[in-house]
Amino acid sequence: MLTIALHSLRTRWSTFLGTFTALSLGVALLTVMGLTLASSLDAPQRQPERFATAPVVVQGRNTLSVPTSIGADVSRETRKLAHPHAVPEAIVARLKQLGRVVPDRSFPVHAEGGPGSLVGHPWSTAAFAPYEITAGRAPRTADEVVVTGDWVRPGERVRTDHGTVRVVGTVPARGFETAVFYTDARAAELSPKSTQLVVEADARAVREAVKGTSVHVLTGAARRLADPDPDRDREALTAMNALFGTAGGVTAFVSVFVVASTFAFAVAQRRREFGLLRTAGATPGQIRRTVCAEALVVGVLASATGCVLGSYGAPLLAARVVEVGLAPDWFTVGDAKWPYHMAFWAGLLVALLGVVAASWRAGRTGAAQALREASVDSGTMTWGRLLCGAGLLLTAVVTLSLALVTDPGELLHRKTYVSRPMLLITAVALLAPVLVRPSTRLLTWLPALLPGAGGMLVRENAAAGVRRTAAVAAPVLVMVALTGSLLAATATLDAARAGETRERVTADFVVVPAGTSGPAGSGPPLSGPGFDAPTLRKLRAIPGTTVSASSSSAVFVLEDGPALIRSEARAADAAPLAATTHLPLTAGRVSDLDDRSIIVNEEWERHTVGQTVDVWLGDGTRKSLRIAAVMATGTGDNGVHLTPANAPGAEVDRVDVTLAAGADPAVVAGALREAGGHVFSREQWLRASHPGTDRTTRYGYLLVLGIALLYTGISLANTMVMATADRVRELAVLRLAGATRGQVLRLVGAEALTVVAVGGALGLLVTGLNLAGMQGALTLLSVPTPIRIPWPQLTAV
């Protein structure tokens, strides 16, 4: 059998070249994704940056640790507090007896013409990085600063949100921040709270001094936890794991789908050859073994080639994700070996599985029946294929129905709307022989009525060659369905969130602290210093307005047994909140909110008005609160609402203003600006807060769809070549019947476009089914939103 297989490979090299190309490219993609995913599993140990030379860093309490239990097992759940504590004065006094204590303060700074991520510090902390002055001198007065980098020169004056300052010195940038150093006294005025400090003393003595307290002592490599955004490496790894995991899953599905389809089509093309072998005395088992031997040889060669191609492609992909900022600068492809094994054996397995069903059918074909077989495909829908396709379709419908009944919000999660299309794509592809012929006749109905035989030939050729049409349409089906499902899902969710924001915000104006540019997406609108007390008094004193001052916070609750869940919160007084915001309540009233209650959403395990829930506030304080009202779940961004008394440590970072009857909007807007802050009208705020796909997700989709589009495009052309090469004799008959070369070319091109249109129609069918489920979920979650279909992108695909 192996000898016959090798002779077949040599004589039918054009057919096997197509399967070899599809498989090697698929294995290459699997190798690339495996290598990049393996490289994102571990990050190098980052060394301390801001406090590289500090002996000891002491932090106030900044975590919440809650004991949990599952049966007899007891553990602790730990979460970061929304409002870390300052180091208690009593402990600071003890530490000062051991050595010099330097409080650290960090606060955002907005400078005209400066970088957008400036952060302020006291000058005394600069020595611990260490920062050394390269030009000028240290600051001595409240209006003097030292800056990092070369964006401004010593002697120049810069307007900031903390007043106009004079730059008296510069220090080299160290890469992890762009800093502005004030005098210690001025920094204390701008940021009175210090959550960490440096102690120039022996570490053991410091630990002994704070023994039994809730403060953290950081030494050695642990000092990196005091750096700005110490979790950025872990967060970057999590984002890359999600990105490459999703890309790898989609790539694996697309490659397996296309490779299996190509192998099955290649075997189906040779049914007359198998009939000849049967006439010569070959048994069904010998036919099957021959086909499997051919697939084994092609699979080994193509998988090995794909691994080599992937080893060259992975570093290119890693460099690209670093270049666009999806990965940290340190990210490179490592030397993991398991991705090669995974890709090689997966490719070989796909090659063998791709021919099993077709070879079984070829072996069962009788010799005379095979020799009499016409060009029209018959019996393409076997009972096994029909049962598998119907089973997958039924599974998709049942799981969708269960999700709609039990947890509609699950359908809005990215992992769900990325994976669900694959189930439907496979089901529709298996049922394609049933769908292809009527779809083809429908699409070619009008061209077939035109004068001449061209339209009729296109219709009959495409409808007769069901296997060829299905094999060519398969890559198009995958690409259109994935593009439509993923991009339409994100666009629809963005529109739903924007609709929620529009319904919620009823204020005429929204004011944020000076120096901030507006909301960050659909989440908490600000990340910066809050309003000071004098500014709030001025805002509240403006006549003809109702003012609701609110702050960002968080609460923690134990749910589902041992799970410590963090919920984002807004803290505001009940009466102004009700006058400036329309919360999507399903029970209760906003006016019932007080210092002993909370407004939750339906996602909470306990969400009945009047029930009591035990929560931990943003500073870690435990409290029992009565549920005053319940909000709809929506798209998951509703969070909870508290009074300011239950958000200790939270600064007011947003002021909603509603006009009284007869108040002049222009006069009120001018008064708001004069009081201090960045003033938005309602429409300006809604435009600024319109949710959009975050950068990582957007590039991730471009990566996934770009790779899938490239691969399916190559596979489509490859399958076209295989299909057309098998029709040489048929096309020659057309030439003998009087068709010109141009007519034959136009006929082949029209058939190709028809088949691609069939694949596109099936892809749109899958997209529609997926989006119908999402719209049902949004309706059940009280967010009725029309489906947004990305027609330009679908048209381009």
Side-chain angles (χ1 to χ4, degrees):
M1 291 298 103
L2 183 59
T3 302
I4 297 176
L6 293 175
H7 281 291
S8 298
L9 291 175
R10 186 181 61 188
T11 55
R12 296 184 62 93
W13 63 270
S14 60
T15 298
F16 289 106
L17 181 62
T19 57
F20 176 88
T21 302
L23 183 57
S24 60
L25 288 176
V27 172
L29 291 178
L30 291 177
T31 304
V32 169
M33 291 303 160
L35 288 172
T36 49
L37 183 61
S39 302
S40 68
L41 295 177
D42 295 303
Q45 182 66 46
R46 186 180 290 275
Q47 296 303 308
E49 295 171 325
R50 274 201 67 212
F51 300 99
T53 63
V56 182
V57 178
V58 177
Q59 291 182 323
R61 181 189 174 200
N62 57 14
T63 59
L64 171 66
S65 184
V66 177
T68 61
S69 61
I70 303 178
D73 297 330
V74 179
S75 60
R76 299 189 75 86
E77 286 280 316
T78 302
R79 298 288 184 272
K80 277 195 169 185
L81 293 175
H83 311 297
H85 293 245
V87 180
E89 289 298 328
I91 295 178
V92 174
R94 278 189 240 165
L95 295 175
K96 285 182 177 179
Q97 297 176 2
L98 302 177
R100 179 179 174 232
V101 174
V102 180
D104 176 48
R105 308 174 196 276
S106 299
F107 49 93
V109 177
H110 179 78
E112 289 187 2
S117 56
L118 287 173
V119 59
H121 298 302
W123 173 248
S124 59
T125 62
F128 300 119
Y131 285 108
E132 297 180 356
I133 290 181
T134 55
R137 58 173 176 82
R140 297 171 184 164
T141 61
D143 65 341
E144 294 180 346
V145 296
V146 171
V147 301
T148 61
D150 56 0
W151 61 275
V152 67
R153 296 181 179 179
E156 296 184 12
R157 288 190 171 273
V158 180
R159 292 182 60 185
T160 74
D161 52 323
H162 304 302
T164 301
V165 296
R166 184 164 63 94
V167 178
V168 296
T170 59
V171 295
R174 298 183 63 86
F176 58 87
E177 67 176 359
T178 306
V180 179
F181 291 98
Y182 292 79
T183 62
D184 288 17
R186 179 58 175 161
E189 293 176 4
L190 297 175
S191 180
K193 183 178 179 180
S194 173
T195 59
Q196 60 188 21
L197 46 85
V198 177
V199 183
E200 295 181 330
D202 180 71
R204 285 176 296 180
V206 172
R207 294 185 189 279
E208 188 64 28
V210 302
K211 189 175 181 180
T213 67
S214 59
V215 301
H216 303 282
V217 178
L218 307 178
T219 59
R223 291 170 298 172
R224 67 180 179 81
L225 298 176
D227 287 335
D229 195 13
D231 295 328
R232 62 185 182 274
D233 284 348
R234 180 175 58 82
E235 292 169 355
L237 285 180
T238 301
M240 284 193 296
N241 286 338
L243 169 64
F244 293 133
T246 301
V250 173
T251 299
F253 170 76
V254 172
S255 58
V256 168
F257 186 90
V258 172
V259 167
S261 175
T262 305
F263 265 85
F265 176 56
V267 173
Q269 281 184 308
R270 302 167 59 195
R271 56 189 181 273
R272 287 178 177 161
E273 174 186 328
F274 297 144
L276 182 59
L277 289 174
R278 293 282 283 120
T279 304
T283 65
Q286 289 175 320
I287 296 292
R288 296 185 192 110
R289 288 194 295 273
T290 299
V291 172
C292 290
E294 293 169 354
L296 179 64
V297 174
V298 173
V300 169
L301 295 176
S303 296
T305 303
C307 289
V308 174
L309 293 175
S311 67
Y312 287 99
L316 298 177
L317 177 60
R320 181 59 181 166
V321 295
V322 170
E323 181 182 343
V324 299
L326 290 181
D329 295 338
W330 50 260
F331 182 69
T332 57
V333 173
D335 56 356
K337 298 296 186 294
W338 65 262
Y340 293 104
H341 289 281
M342 179 271 298
F344 180 86
W345 295 111
L348 190 57
L349 180 63
V350 169
L352 294 175
L353 293 179
V355 301
V356 166
S359 64
W360 184 266
R361 184 174 180 277
R364 293 181 59 186
T365 302
Q369 179 183 356
L371 291 175
R372 289 197 307 266
E373 191 171 351
S375 296
V376 177
D377 288 330
S378 59
T380 54
M381 177 54 76
T382 62
W383 279 107
R385 183 166 185 164
L386 180 61
L387 290 175
C388 289
L392 287 176
L393 187 60
L394 181 63
T395 301
V397 173
V398 170
T399 54
L400 174 62
S401 302
L402 289 176
L404 289 174
V405 172
T406 58
D407 186 11
E410 178 66 22
L411 296 174
L412 307 184
H413 296 167
R414 183 169 60 184
K415 64 179 180 181
T416 303
Y417 63 73
V418 167
S419 59
R420 283 194 64 82
M422 301 180 190
L423 189 63
L424 280 173
I425 288 171
T426 307
V428 172
L430 288 172
L431 298 174
V434 175
L435 303 173
V436 160
R437 187 170 279 124
S439 300
T440 302
R441 293 194 177 278
L442 178 63
L443 290 173
T444 57
W445 170 74
L446 183 59
L449 297 179
L450 297 176
M456 182 270 294
L457 287 175
V458 169
R459 181 188 66 187
E460 298 304 325
N461 284 337
V466 173
R467 289 190 180 91
R468 179 176 68 244
T469 302
V472 175
V476 183
L477 161 65
V478 173
M479 197 59 234
V480 171
L482 283 178
T483 302
S485 298
L486 298 186
L487 297 186
T490 54
T492 300
L493 285 178
D494 287 344
R497 294 188 179 107
E500 284 183 315
T501 303
R502 179 170 291 276
E503 288 288 325
R504 190 183 302 121
V505 178
T506 60
D508 297 291
F509 295 99
V510 177
V511 188
V512 299
T516 57
S517 57
S522 59
L526 303 172
S527 57
F531 289 99
D532 55 28
T535 301
L536 284 175
R537 284 195 295 268
K538 293 178 184 177
L539 291 170
R540 289 190 172 107
I542 297 174
T545 64
T546 299
V547 174
S548 174
S550 63
S551 54
S552 300
S553 188
V555 296
F556 304 86
V557 62
L558 276 176
E559 290 189 353
D560 300 324
L564 183 61
I565 308 297
R566 171 178 170 138
S567 291
E568 300 301 323
R570 296 296 300 178
D573 291 320
L577 176 65
T580 58
T581 304
H582 177 263
L583 297 182
L585 297 184
T586 59
R589 296 177 300 180
V590 176
S591 58
D592 291 339
L593 179 66
D594 56 28
D595 293 344
R596 298 181 301 277
S597 62
I598 184 175
I599 297 177
V600 302
N601 60 62
E602 291 177 330
E603 277 191 315
W604 280 48
E605 191 173 41
R606 297 170 69 88
H607 57 268
T608 302
V609 173
Q611 284 185 321
T612 300
V613 290
D614 293 327
V615 300
W616 287 264
L617 304 180
D619 68 341
T621 303
R622 185 169 184 173
K623 204 164 185 179
S624 293
L625 299 174
R626 175 182 52 84
I627 297 177
V630 180
M631 295 182 291
T633 301
T635 57
D637 292 331
N638 284 334
V640 302
H641 287 266
L642 306 158
T643 60
N646 290 322
E651 295 183 336
V652 173
D653 55 17
R654 171 175 165 178
V655 174
D656 291 64
V657 181
T658 298
L659 299 178
D664 187 339
V667 173
V668 172
L672 291 172
R673 294 188 184 93
E674 186 176 345
H678 195 130
V679 181
F680 293 84
S681 68
R682 180 174 181 269
E683 290 303 319
Q684 289 173 335
W685 179 262
L686 291 175
R687 286 195 298 269
S689 61
H690 192 286
T693 306
D694 63 82
R695 187 168 175 272
T696 299
T697 302
R698 184 169 62 253
Y699 276 114
Y701 283 158
L702 289 176
L703 172 67
V704 171
L705 295 178
I707 290 176
L709 179 59
L710 176 64
Y711 180 57
T712 52
I714 294 174
S715 298
L716 177 61
N718 175 48
T719 309
M720 286 281 193
V721 171
M722 293 172 60
T724 307
D726 196 47
R727 301 174 60 195
V728 172
R729 187 167 299 175
E730 173 190 336
L731 299 178
V733 170
L734 283 175
R735 291 298 306 276
L736 292 174
T740 65
R741 185 171 183 271
Q743 288 175 321
V744 172
L745 290 176
R746 286 194 295 272
L747 173 65
V748 173
E751 288 181 20
L753 291 176
T754 300
V755 174
V756 168
V758 170
L762 295 179
L764 289 176
L765 173 64
V766 172
T767 299
L769 293 174
N770 275 300
L771 296 180
M774 175 169 283
Q775 187 168 45
L778 289 171
T779 302
L780 291 173
L781 294 170
S782 303
V783 193
T785 302
I787 293 297
R788 304 297 177 91
I789 299 178
W791 290 115
Q793 291 86 343
L794 275 178
T795 303
V797 170

